[in-house]
């Protein structure tokens, strides 16, 4: 059976799962949807509303971390995203959990806050890799659509500022860890910690080589661009850009 990854192609949690699958060389088809319209597909598969969902021979995984574990079970031990060594594994898991809980929601809210006011840019962004009918429907209902997203993700000027502050704090912490010159966050090699940090930071850094979230630089709103440049200039930001340049296309 061919694996099916139900996604919102621009979603950074979906990118996390897609990166792991591609790195392991596991063949899959991506079933991509515009945010909110993904509900129908997600609900049909597993009675849930969040993606990514990986549909496989024995059922479905409904969380990006579970998808990474599914992938690891099919990867040679030395290339797994979660190392065998218990201490290293615990460190990787701690980072991954932290990024999932904090980085993911804040980078998403902050990016949407800047993209949603520009209707055409927002439409082009959310429709990437999704069926045409969903893009048409989104365009027709855009004011309502944007209001639903703002409400669902609590996107306000105040909350967006708070998210940016949290992003800077987390980036400062990661920069400090990288200050000793280590090439990866922990375990001395590429792990789920690096993959999760890079994929979940992507909406705030807009790295090249990203297969699902492409915003042409000249279309990025000026206020967002200034902040992206500041985040990119940090050691943590540079690290993410390097992970995309060096690791995103690599096979395990
Ligand atoms: N913990 C989940 C989070 C996934 C998540 O937040 N997905 C978002 C897309 S970025 C989603 O599907 N949101 C839809 C909703 O909450 O209705 C994971 O790691 O897979």
């Amino acid at each position: 059976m061919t694996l099916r990854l139900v996604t919102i192609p621009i979603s950074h949690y979906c990118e996390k799962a897609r990166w792991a699958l591609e790195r392991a060389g596991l063949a899959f088809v991506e079933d991509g949807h515009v945010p909110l319209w993904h509900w129908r597909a997600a609900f049909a598969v597993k009675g849930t509303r969040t993606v990514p969902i990986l549909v496989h021979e024995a059922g479905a995984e409904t969380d990006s971390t579970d998808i990474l574990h599914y992938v690891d079970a099919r990867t040679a031990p030395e290339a797994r995203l979660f190392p065998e060594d218990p201490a290293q594994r615990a460190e990787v898991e701690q980072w991954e959990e932290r990024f999932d809980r904090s980085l993911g929601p804040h980078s998403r809210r902050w990016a949407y806050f800047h993209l949603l006011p520009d209707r055409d840019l927002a439409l082009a962004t959310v429709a990437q890799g999704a069926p045409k009918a969903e893009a048409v429907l989104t365009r027709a209902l855009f004011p309502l659509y944007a209001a639903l997203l703002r409400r669902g993700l609590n996107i306000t000027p105040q909350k967006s500022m708070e998210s940016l502050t949290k992003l800077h704090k987390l980036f400062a912490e990661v920069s400090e860890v990288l200050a000793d010159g280590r090439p990866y966050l922990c375990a001395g090699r590429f792990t789920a910690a690096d993959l999760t940090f890079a994929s979940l930071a992507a909406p705030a850094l807009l790295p090249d080589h990203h297969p699902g979230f492409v915003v042409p630089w000249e279309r990025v709103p000026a206020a967002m661009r200034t902040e992206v440049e500041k985040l990119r200039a940090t050691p943590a930001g540079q690290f993410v850009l390097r992970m995309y340049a060096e690791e995103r296309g690599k096979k395990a």
Side-chain angles (χ1 to χ4, degrees), residues 34-54:
V34 169
L36 300 187
W37 312 136
H38 73 281
W39 281 344
R40 215 173 68 151
F43 199 78
V45 175
K46 200 64 188 176
T48 178
R49 52 179 256 189
T50 66
V51 288
I53 300 173
L54 182 69

Side-chain angles (χ1 to χ4, degrees), residues 7-8 10-14 16-17 35-36 38-39 42 48-53 61-67 96 100-101 104-105 108 112 149 152-153 200:
T7 70
I8 293 168
I10 62 159
S11 151
H12 48 356
Y13 290 100
C14 296
K16 178 182 158 194
L36 300 187
H38 73 281
W39 281 344
T48 178
R49 52 179 256 189
T50 66
V51 288
I53 300 173
E61 306 301 330
T62 56
D63 183 272
S64 61
T65 304
D66 295 338
I67 296 174
E96 199 225 4
D100 273 353
R101 281 184 186 281
R108 174 174 60 197
Y112 270 129
L149 267 188
L153 298 173
L200 298 189

